[in-house]
Amino acid sequence: MVCYNGRVPTSDDGGSNRDWSAVRFVLCDLDGVVWLSRHAIDGAPDAIARMRASGRRVLFVTNNSFSLLADQEQALAAIGVPAVGDVATSAQAAAFLVEPGETVLVCGGPGVYEAVSARGSEPVADGAADAVIVGFHRDFDYERLRIASAAVRSGARLLATNDDATYPTPEGLIPGGGAILAAVATASAATPTIAGKPYAPMAALVRDRCGPGFNRDTAVMVGDRWSTDGLFAEALGCPFALVRTGVTPPGVAPEGVAALDLADLAAVADVITGGRS
Ligand SMILES: [Mg+2]
């Protein structure tokens, strides 16, 4: 029996007997699946178009909380992928954790302000709040740390868009939202609730966006990193399709079980639209 890091694959994890033609919802990570630094990965735009033409819904699921929604939609349109209404972000997932009318101190980027406002909550940059949402932003400094931790120590709930320690760029790894969150959590002596992949709030957001008909037989999560995308598939209760165009190079064993392990999104589209594995 094959065993990955102590995890034993079950029949539910395997893809060999699955009827992929039943898939109606294709959940796609962006970085390393659709694009790299917003440059299209070969064949990805065409693969998305083919899956949509076959009647499938393609939803992009990203832990990018910084960018405004329109910015992400326009960047996808620029590589030939219409995406209006089809992007789910960790900022939106975090906003799911606050109630309309609540005051939310934003320790993050414009995408968090946007998502909080869309939720009907009031985003603020300082002062007392019902919740603090921490996300990646480049102008984080000691003063932002002081303001965010003071709000938590005064009773605000500590929420985070994601806990990715680093973020890949063409210049190498840079500190991610998780690094900022660690500082705020330490200064606040609080345990955060994390919204993005692979956690439950993002799963709730995706199920909400897909609506009725979403289940383990009708959905697949496509990603390049098992520790976020693979675990997120587990949170959703659907199979994981690993592609080798991102952080998991060809020939490197994934940390967990993938129902499909294919070269790229084009190969995933071949399986789904052909209904075979
Ligand atoms: Mg990725």
Side-chain angles (χ1 to χ4, degrees):
M1 176 177 289
V2 180
C3 187
Y4 301 91
N5 285 359
R7 293 172 43 80
V8 178
T10 68
S11 58
D12 285 348
D13 294 314
S16 58
N17 297 317
R18 181 172 292 272
D19 175 14
W20 294 101
S21 68
V23 168
R24 290 291 171 268
F25 303 99
V26 181
L27 314 171
C28 269
D29 175 38
L30 285 175
D31 276 310
V33 176
V34 175
W35 60 28
L36 288 167
S37 298
R38 299 197 167 183
H39 296 290
I41 291 171
D42 280 351
D46 175 67
I48 292 160
R50 284 191 286 130
M51 290 189 288
R52 283 172 163 167
S54 69
R56 272 92 180 178
R57 170 93 187 270
V58 179
L59 184 67
F60 304 101
V61 186
T62 176
N63 272 358
N64 179 345
S65 70
F66 181 83
S67 304
L68 292 170
L69 208 49
D71 174 56
Q72 303 205 48
E73 291 169 350
Q74 287 165 11
L76 283 162
I79 64 164
V81 178
V84 174
D86 287 329
V87 178
T89 74
S90 61
Q92 294 171 322
F96 244 47
L97 298 172
V98 299
E99 297 300 323
E102 284 193 314
T103 299
V104 180
L105 193 150
V106 177
C107 182
V112 180
Y113 280 91
E114 178 184 54
V116 167
S117 294
R119 178 71 169 157
S121 310
E122 184 189 359
V124 297
D126 199 352
D130 298 299
V132 172
I133 297 181
V134 179
F136 173 82
H137 56 302
R138 287 176 177 268
D139 56 346
F140 179 71
D141 61 8
Y142 186 86
E143 186 63 2
R144 298 296 305 150
L145 175 59
R146 183 191 66 75
I147 290 168
S149 59
V152 175
R153 286 187 178 277
S154 297
R157 311 190 300 281
L158 178 57
L159 313 174
T161 59
N162 63 294
D163 63 353
D164 299 292
T166 57
Y167 181 74
T169 74
E171 292 75 40
L173 292 178
I174 60 172
I180 296 172
L181 174 62
V184 176
T186 299
S188 311
T191 302
T193 299
I194 302 162
K197 293 180 295 184
Y199 297 100
M202 184 68 110
L205 174 66
V206 166
R207 286 194 198 94
D208 183 73
R209 295 285 285 276
C210 290
F214 180 93
N215 61 54
R216 59 162 287 106
D217 295 320
T218 61
V220 62
M221 174 69 203
V222 187
D224 65 324
R225 188 194 297 264
W226 193 86
S227 60
T228 48
D229 304 312
L231 280 178
F232 184 59
E234 286 194 355
L236 284 166
C238 74
F240 173 51
L242 176 69
V243 293
R244 300 293 187 151
T245 42
V247 299
T248 311
V252 173
E255 301 162 59
V257 176
L260 290 174
D261 184 348
L262 297 169
D264 54 22
L265 187 59
V268 175
D270 289 343
V271 169
I272 290 171
T273 59
R276 301 180 306 278
S277 62

